[in-house]
Amino acid sequence: MFKTIEWTAQGVLMIDQRRLPASETYVTCHNYGEVAEAIQNMTIRGAPAIGVAAAMGVALGVKDSPANAASGLRAEFETIAAAISSTRPTAVNLFWAVGRMRRVFEETMEMEAPEAAKIRAAKERLVEEAQLILAEDIAINKAIGKNGAALLNESMTVLTHCNAGALATGGYGTALGVIRAGIAEGKQIRVFADETRPFLQGARLTAWELAQDGIPVTLITDNMAGHFMKQGTLQAAIVGADRIAANGDVANKIGTYSVAVLARENNIPFYVAAPLSTIDLSLSSGDQIPIEERAANEVTHLSGVPIAPGNIEARHPAFDVTPHRYVNAIITEGGVAREPYTESLKALFPYGNTSS
Amino acid sequence: MFKTIEWTAQGVLMIDQRRLPASETYVTCHNYGEVAEAIQNMTIRGAPAIGVAAAMGVALGVKDSPANAASGLRAEFETIAAAISSTRPTAVNLFWAVGRMRRVFEETMEMEAPEAAKIRAAKERLVEEAQLILAEDIAINKAIGKNGAALLNESMTVLTHCNAGALATGGYGTALGVIRAGIAEGKQIRVFADETRPFLQGARLTAWELAQDGIPVTLITDNMAGHFMKQGTLQAAIVGADRIAANGDVANKIGTYSVAVLARENNIPFYVAAPLSTIDLSLSSGDQIPIEERAANEVTHLSGVPIAPGNIEARHPAFDVTPHRYVNAIITEGGVAREPYTESLKALFPYGNTSS
């Protein structure tokens, strides 16, 4: 089985998601700048996986720092955190992970110890913390899967959009984790995967990882989902999330909003599966979630080959926001939240929310 | 300006729509079999253009027939008509055109004249009729444009899906004809074009022909349309049609249904522009419209290059049906029909409907 991301002695090892499914290639990021670039250029993508990568990037940067004074290391930490944080604006898991690394860093800096010991402790503890975030993420996904599997029928066909699978996380997946858990419980689950233009995460990644697991998957173009809902082929839709506001509005891969509207129109439940680290209670609604606009040539070109005339404009919002009224449930490791989300999401955080 | 299709001494000349926008290449179909193949493999596409091609294919086949008896020519006519009719099932314009050619053929066969004269007359009149269908189609599109332009605001951004432009017709276009007419009247119309997977008619054809005319066009992936409606960027959606049932249900390129649902959800008018030859009063509802399922490899491959793993299934319905309740108006050369369509569409045919 492939690994999405792993800490190694040489650096942060990642499967190159831009080259799947044609080639299963792994790249090693040897410094935090390379990790930041890998997040930005989508070598690694998926909100939880970005969180893990961000943590590992911070750990790598601090580990390699030549600073021999706490003040120098602190300045370097801020440089590293800023570089990692500037890669992609929408997925809050990135900021959550950097925030968690910062708290560990501050703890070591506040230790009663000589400077050299603090620096050594910071380097060690940040590497441990990043690996812990990865291990926790897989455990969290299994809990999400268990909670979500209860919502699935004994036999059904589920639509998913983009890739919220093992490749989007430390492993197992959020939306695809729910499907994996349902199948593990003996349910007959078939998947329809939206290809998810322009980056084709569905065609390239979801189809690939489900086929590897022997889970029945049928690929469709994004514009077919509504048709198959209307035809009665699909009985539920389940997606991941990049950021969830306090009122339950969900930012996720562009096209998710359309899936949600079409599901509601066809009386099909629309579920969102995400770890608690994706929930950002500091934002009262999805209107406040920053939406990344990526390069237009990712729309006008495919694998570098133009698919449109050279002289036209294109737009490329990478995410959209689905208003909470279309969301039947938000499945987390802490339980399943339903309307009213302002209350149900808050209840998932008895000790407060630290996503950003 | 390019020509979509033209009758020439060498055969039926068409712009090869599979090669646009990379290359503006013309192909000549030298016999009716080549015309049938060009329709099937989408060298030419778009319901009205398919109608013109079908008529020209019939004319070419009859013209080249070696039959020297009326009975022989009649048998040949049926062979030709069957070959042309079996190419694509959804667009009714194809069957409408074949039916119109059949009526002209029958008229010549019923002439009081020697067999040789009847055969000569059939050959001449079918060639004339096919060219008339082309000329009429352009005039019809200009009338559709004029009728539809009245529905446009002075300044607005309009979404279109697939290509219902000059390339989909004899010229000028249906949905894009409305936009051209609005601009000709001095309105400020900007277009957002869905790329329209899997064949990319929006990216390759709509963007190309609008850019050629200097009409502002912005390319988006199909899954972005809902987002831009919700953001307030788009003020109307207008598409063509492949077949319209008596109750106003509209078969059109896959993804049209999703555009219509999203438009309704966002209080944006959804318009269909089509010639009367697209209306099939013999079908009481869209449930009866045959939906073509094309090869799965048109979804899993792009220009022959795989974009998905090799071992997975894919589906490829080429059309969907939009229930009439989502359609704000159907714009024809005979006027603008609105609910209740069962009455308003019938009223457009004072002499009956002969689409199939």
Side-chain angles (χ1 to χ4, degrees), chain A:
Chain A
M1 188 65 177
F2 66 90
K3 286 205 172 152
T4 302
I5 183 167
E6 199 173 2
W7 181 269
T8 74
Q10 290 73 42
V12 182
L13 188 73
M14 303 172 184
I15 191 167
D16 189 341
Q17 303 200 23
R18 300 167 307 172
R19 300 188 63 183
L20 286 171
S23 163
E24 187 175 337
T25 307
Y26 291 81
V27 295
T28 299
C29 298
H30 300 91
N31 54 60
Y32 77 87
E34 289 181 7
V35 173
E37 194 182 339
I39 295 171
Q40 207 289 319
N41 70 21
M42 297 176 73
T43 300
I44 191 163
R45 34 59 56 198
I50 288 173
V52 175
M56 289 187 176
V58 170
L60 193 58
V62 170
K63 180 177 84 71
D64 293 344
S65 170
N68 49 22
S71 61
L73 192 64
R74 184 183 295 276
E76 186 127 43
F77 182 94
E78 294 306 332
T79 302
I80 296 162
I84 297 282
S85 299
S86 68
T87 51
R88 301 197 70 191
T90 304
V92 75
N93 312 62
L94 188 154
F95 307 102
W96 166 86
V98 171
R100 182 161 156 176
M101 297 299 275
R102 172 176 277 115
R103 284 191 296 281
V104 171
F105 180 76
E106 293 300 342
E107 281 169 24
T108 60
M109 290 299 108
E110 287 160 14
M111 282 167 39
E112 299 276 348
E115 294 239 324
K118 287 201 223 185
I119 290 171
R120 197 169 55 243
K123 293 184 177 201
E124 284 175 8
R125 286 206 47 204
L126 288 183
V127 171
E128 288 167 7
E129 190 73 8
Q131 292 178 278
L132 182 63
I133 287 175
L134 170 59
E136 281 180 5
D137 186 62
I138 299 171
I140 285 167
N141 289 337
K142 293 194 171 167
I144 290 171
K146 191 160 185 295
N147 289 338
L151 304 176
L152 301 181
N153 301 341
E154 286 305 311
S155 175
M156 71 192 305
T157 303
V158 178
L159 176 74
T160 192
H161 186 73
C162 194
N163 172 268
L167 286 164
T169 61
Y172 202 69
T174 52
L176 299 191
V178 170
I179 287 162
R180 287 190 166 97
I183 289 170
E185 291 179 8
K187 295 183 175 182
Q188 305 286 317
I189 312 294
R190 296 162 300 279
V191 177
F192 267 47
D194 277 350
E195 65 174 4
T196 317
R197 283 280 293 146
F199 201 64
L200 294 167
Q201 290 94 336
R204 298 190 305 102
L205 308 179
T206 295
W208 182 78
E209 71 163 89
L210 291 180
Q212 287 230 331
D213 270 9
I215 297 172
V217 58
T218 300
L219 179 64
I220 59 173
T221 60
D222 301 312
N223 57 22
M224 293 175 189
H227 170 72
F228 284 111
M229 289 182 192
K230 186 160 70 75
Q231 298 291 95
T233 309
L234 306 172
Q235 286 83 50
I238 183 163
V239 301
D242 288 81
R243 194 184 301 216
I244 300 172
N247 68 344
D249 290 353
V250 174
N252 191 45
K253 182 51 52 194
I254 187 74
T256 301
Y257 165 69
S258 300
V259 169
V261 168
L262 288 158
R264 176 57 50 93
E265 190 75 5
N266 287 283
N267 296 310
I268 290 168
F270 174 81
Y271 299 124
V272 174
L276 293 173
S277 56
T278 301
I279 299 171
D280 183 356
L281 295 184
S282 76
L283 304 184
S284 59
S285 91
D287 296 343
Q288 299 164 279
I289 299 175
I291 298 297
E292 177 183 11
E293 180 108 10
R294 291 183 66 87
N297 69 7
E298 293 182 350
V299 169
T300 56
H301 291 65
L302 193 73
S303 306
V305 178
I307 58 166
N311 56 346
I312 58 145
E313 284 187 29
R315 289 289 303 275
H316 186 188
F319 303 92
D320 60 27
V321 173
T322 299
H324 60 87
R325 67 178 178 276
Y326 300 105
V327 180
N328 290 72
I330 296 173
I331 304 160
T332 76
E333 70 272 29
V336 175
R338 295 186 184 266
E339 292 276 15
Y341 289 107
T342 306
E343 293 170 27
S344 62
L345 291 180
K346 197 172 173 192
L348 294 171
F349 295 94
Y351 310 110
N353 168 239
T354 54
S355 268
S356 65

Side-chain angles (χ1 to χ4, degrees), chain B residues 5-7 12 48-49 51-61 96-97 100-101 104 122-137 170:
Chain B
I5 183 167
E6 199 173 3
W7 181 270
V12 183
V52 174
M56 289 187 176
V58 170
L60 192 59
W96 167 86
R100 182 161 156 177
M101 297 300 275
V104 171
K123 293 184 178 202
E124 285 175 8
R125 285 205 46 203
L126 289 182
V127 171
E128 287 167 7
E129 191 73 8
Q131 292 179 277
L132 183 63
I133 287 175
L134 170 58
E136 282 180 5
D137 186 62

